Amino acid sequence: MKLLYTFISLVLLSFQLSAQNGLESIIVEKYYISNEADKALDGDGGELPLNSVTYRVYVDMLPGYIFQAAFGEPGHELRISTSTSFFNNEDRGNRFPTYTRNQAQNNTVMLDSWLSVGGALKDYAGVLKAKDDGENTIENADGILQNEDPLAGIPLKEQDGAVLLPTEPVTVVGFFDADLTVFDDANNGPVPTIFSSTDGAWSSLNGSMGPDSLENIVLIGQFTTDGVFEFELNIQIRNEQTLGVEQYVSRDPTGDEIQWYQLIYNEETIGLEDEFVLLDNNQVQVFPNPTTGHVTVEIDQQIPMSSLNNRYTLTALDGATLFNGRIVDHATQLEFNNLLPGVYILSLQLENKYQYYGKIVVIR
């Protein structure tokens, strides 16, 4: 087994060196949607507007990359905004997720708006709820945050998207203090609320990797609002093997910059019909993995398979599509012939509603 892990590590290293771009995706997760019970509880937390949506924004990178910064510069505005205001918890609210696990149990602390480079609270890293194992889920001491709105996926009371793991602190560069007040512990700011900069960044000085080194998904912010949520981001990541730095911008790339359309987000134009429910490894199993090129994909029987448009795609780490086709049953055998040893990305889109992606290691 140790030899196998060593071989996989060598394969990962070789593909990191050859991959063109280290950014895989920008993921926006609907973390929670507030209900009447959440709104009714005021106390020290401040009033949370009904139907507020808590969004989490993640950077998904290839193995071996680190997240360094989200930045604004002349010609590349960094902008996060809402048509109303961001909810900032008045009890433990802060610009960054520095509250403790015990403090997170109180009122609406878990829904505070903040900037991050991996952390969800003190000594805990943020993960997609679908990637959380459900152990040690935080129980709200006031009996709220219990909503099971299906548009927010897995209920917060079951999987809270936080795993015990120290993370890097946020380092702010270039922002004036006034720029960051929209994330302070108060809810009396201007409407609409706009956080914008062309000469600032929030960053991780040592670089941040995801809790799962293969998935390598880093949480960079959480934002709660009852308005239309939008952002335009620019980010910098680095390949830890080659030390090559890559900058991704939302618009008008120059030089070696790479334009990435997912760095622009507008909840109003995306629409609910375009959002996918992310399936986890309990709902989709792919085996054997590592493989010589032949795998079986098993999909949970509770996931409907009536559509004729259920599809799979296998891509290389440089983004090139190698195989694609239909998924016709809950158990489907796929053959990926003549693949070189390495790491590949398998993605599924099912019923125009569900999405899965995972890494496959091919060996010989």
Side-chain angles (χ1 to χ4, degrees):
M1 185 64 71
K2 184 175 181 180
L3 290 175
L4 177 59
Y5 287 149
T6 301
F7 176 78
I8 294 173
S9 298
L10 292 174
V11 170
L12 288 174
L13 174 59
S14 67
F15 267 71
Q16 289 158 11
L17 294 175
S18 64
Q20 294 179 350
N21 302 327
L23 179 62
E24 291 193 278
S25 180
I26 302 297
I27 301 172
V28 180
E29 176 189 47
K30 281 191 174 178
Y31 183 68
Y32 187 74
I33 299 176
S34 67
N35 61 13
E36 287 283 0
D38 305 319
K39 180 180 184 300
L41 183 74
D42 190 341
D44 296 326
E47 183 174 328
L48 177 69
L50 179 65
N51 295 325
S52 293
V53 180
T54 301
Y55 302 87
R56 281 188 167 187
V57 181
Y58 296 83
V59 174
D60 182 6
M61 301 172 289
L62 293 178
Y65 276 79
I66 58 173
F67 172 79
Q68 291 190 305
F71 66 90
E73 62 182 14
H76 296 310
E77 180 188 17
L78 183 157
R79 181 184 179 93
I80 304 171
S81 66
T82 173
S83 58
T84 56
S85 60
F86 291 115
F87 172 74
N88 297 304
N89 183 268
E90 297 174 7
D91 179 12
R92 297 292 178 177
N94 202 339
R95 300 169 179 181
F96 318 112
T98 55
Y99 48 85
T100 67
R101 179 182 173 85
N102 286 339
Q103 292 166 344
Q105 297 174 351
N106 298 323
N107 51 69
T108 53
V109 171
M110 288 288 287
L111 305 184
D112 189 33
S113 299
W114 33 255
L115 307 174
S116 178
V117 291
L121 59 150
K122 181 177 173 60
D123 297 325
Y124 282 77
V127 297
L128 291 161
K129 287 187 293 181
K131 302 296 182 181
D132 189 350
D133 59 13
E135 295 184 4
N136 300 315
T137 297
I138 295 172
E139 296 183 13
N140 190 275
D142 296 295
I144 61 168
L145 308 189
Q146 305 295 302
N147 196 8
E148 299 183 8
D149 192 317
L151 295 179
I154 300 169
L156 185 59
K157 62 184 180 180
E158 296 179 8
Q159 294 171 208
D160 57 20
V163 296
L164 182 60
L165 185 71
T167 57
E168 294 292 324
V170 177
T171 298
V172 174
V173 179
F175 289 128
F176 292 105
D177 187 71
D179 296 328
L180 297 169
T181 56
V182 297
F183 301 123
D184 282 343
D185 56 347
N187 288 291
N188 55 2
V191 174
T193 299
I194 300 172
F195 172 66
S196 173
S197 177
T198 55
D199 58 359
W202 79 88
S203 61
S204 173
L205 291 185
N206 295 313
S208 297
M209 281 190 177
D212 183 322
S213 60
L214 285 179
E215 296 287 353
N216 204 13
I217 300 173
V218 176
L219 174 63
I220 64 168
Q222 176 174 294
F223 311 96
T224 298
T225 179
D226 65 341
V228 177
F229 175 56
E230 301 178 88
F231 64 69
E232 290 196 22
L233 302 177
N234 313 287
I235 65 169
Q236 179 172 298
I237 66 176
R238 189 179 76 186
N239 186 318
E240 284 292 83
Q241 311 304 324
T242 66
L243 302 184
V245 172
E246 300 172 7
Q247 289 192 336
Y248 296 83
V249 297
S250 58
R251 302 177 187 269
D252 304 322
T254 60
D256 293 331
E257 294 173 341
I258 302 166
Q259 186 172 8
W260 199 267
Y261 75 95
Q262 290 179 319
L263 289 168
I264 298 177
Y265 181 89
N266 184 314
E267 170 66 15
E268 192 171 61
T269 59
I270 285 177
L272 296 177
E273 69 277 7
D274 295 325
E275 295 184 8
F276 283 88
V277 175
L278 187 65
L279 302 178
D280 61 27
N281 290 328
N282 292 321
Q283 297 164 302
V284 177
Q285 297 186 32
V286 181
F287 59 89
N289 191 13
T291 177
T292 58
H294 308 279
V295 299
T296 297
V297 177
E298 285 195 355
I299 300 166
D300 192 302
Q301 293 291 329
Q302 295 184 9
I303 305 299
M305 293 289 292
S306 60
S307 174
L308 298 177
N309 196 34
N310 295 328
R311 304 193 64 82
Y312 72 88
T313 303
L314 188 77
T315 59
L317 293 185
D318 63 3
T321 298
L322 304 176
F323 294 89
N324 59 66
R326 289 176 56 199
I327 294 288
V328 297
D329 202 349
H330 285 91
T332 303
Q333 292 186 345
L334 303 178
E335 295 188 5
F336 304 129
N337 297 318
N338 302 319
L339 285 178
L340 295 175
V343 180
Y344 300 87
I345 307 300
L346 177 67
S347 61
L348 308 179
Q349 288 195 1
L350 308 174
E351 301 294 304
N352 294 316
K353 179 179 180 180
Y354 302 96
Q355 189 176 63
Y356 168 84
Y357 61 94
K359 296 179 174 67
I360 293 179
V361 177
V362 173
I363 59 176
R364 286 288 182 264

